[in-house]
Amino acid sequence: MKIGMACDHGAYTYKEEIKQMLIDEGHEVVDCGCHDTNSVDYPDMAKACADLVANKEVDKGIVMCGTGIGISIAANKVKGIRCALCTDVTMARLTREHNDANMLSMGQRTTGIETCKDIVHTFLNTPFSEGERHKGRIAKISSIEDAQ
């Protein structure tokens, strides 16, 4: 799988560790930054990754900041993005099954690294299996974007 990743300075350490895990597992990772712990603005990082997902240049996107909140809000401003902030594997499973989320957000200051790794595995390996029941709801989300 080809995965886009981005973070701000508040999640650089986790991004690097998760990126290496994904590479070790055979995934291709497109790193949109940041590339060190110097302060950056999370909306810039979110947009870079979300654009890759929206343009189908990558299969999924993973974004991180201190809490995961700000970067997920910014990613969701890009048309076609459904970025879910997940703090446990149940949320990751359900957002894939029910929302067909194409981006995952997590926070380095709020969730332990091993839990984040489990969330990533769950997110990447869970199909959109409840499609018939939820397609209409996802279409309504898209119609909100189209009305803007």
Side-chain angles (χ1 to χ4, degrees):
M1 189 177 295
K2 191 171 184 180
I3 302 162
M5 291 190 77
C7 70
D8 73 356
H9 54 281
Y12 172 74
T13 304
Y14 275 25
K15 182 199 62 144
E16 289 300 303
E17 191 165 336
I18 291 168
K19 177 175 74 172
Q20 190 59 55
M21 175 191 78
L22 293 170
I23 291 168
D24 291 347
E25 292 173 356
H27 298 285
E28 181 181 349
V29 176
V30 179
D31 188 342
C32 299
C34 68
H35 302 291
D36 55 39
T37 57
N38 293 322
S39 182
V40 296
D41 295 330
Y42 61 80
D44 299 330
M45 304 296 108
K47 184 174 183 330
C49 188
D51 283 345
L52 291 177
V53 175
N55 294 328
K56 302 196 182 319
E57 296 174 50
V58 296
D59 301 303
K60 297 277 188 295
I62 300 171
V63 292
M64 293 174 276
C65 65
T67 63
I69 297 169
I71 203 162
S72 67
I73 292 170
N76 278 314
K77 297 297 181 182
V78 174
K79 183 180 171 86
I81 295 303
R82 289 178 308 282
C83 182
L85 170 59
C86 296
T87 58
D88 61 45
V89 294
T90 300
M91 293 174 76
R93 179 179 55 80
L94 290 173
T95 198
R96 287 290 307 131
E97 289 177 351
H98 294 190
N99 310 118
D100 196 20
N102 51 15
M103 289 187 72
L104 168 66
S105 176
M106 298 177 292
Q108 181 169 317
R109 295 179 189 144
T110 59
T111 310
I113 186 63
E114 294 306 319
T115 299
C116 283
K117 289 177 181 179
D118 290 342
I119 290 168
V120 167
H121 285 129
T122 300
F123 182 82
L124 295 178
N125 293 303
T126 301
F128 178 44
S129 60
E130 307 247 352
E132 290 309 311
R133 197 172 84 164
H134 294 280
K135 279 184 182 176
R137 294 172 184 148
I138 293 169
K140 286 183 178 187
I141 293 170
S142 296
S143 73
I144 293 168
E145 290 177 339
D146 294 339
Q148 300 299 313

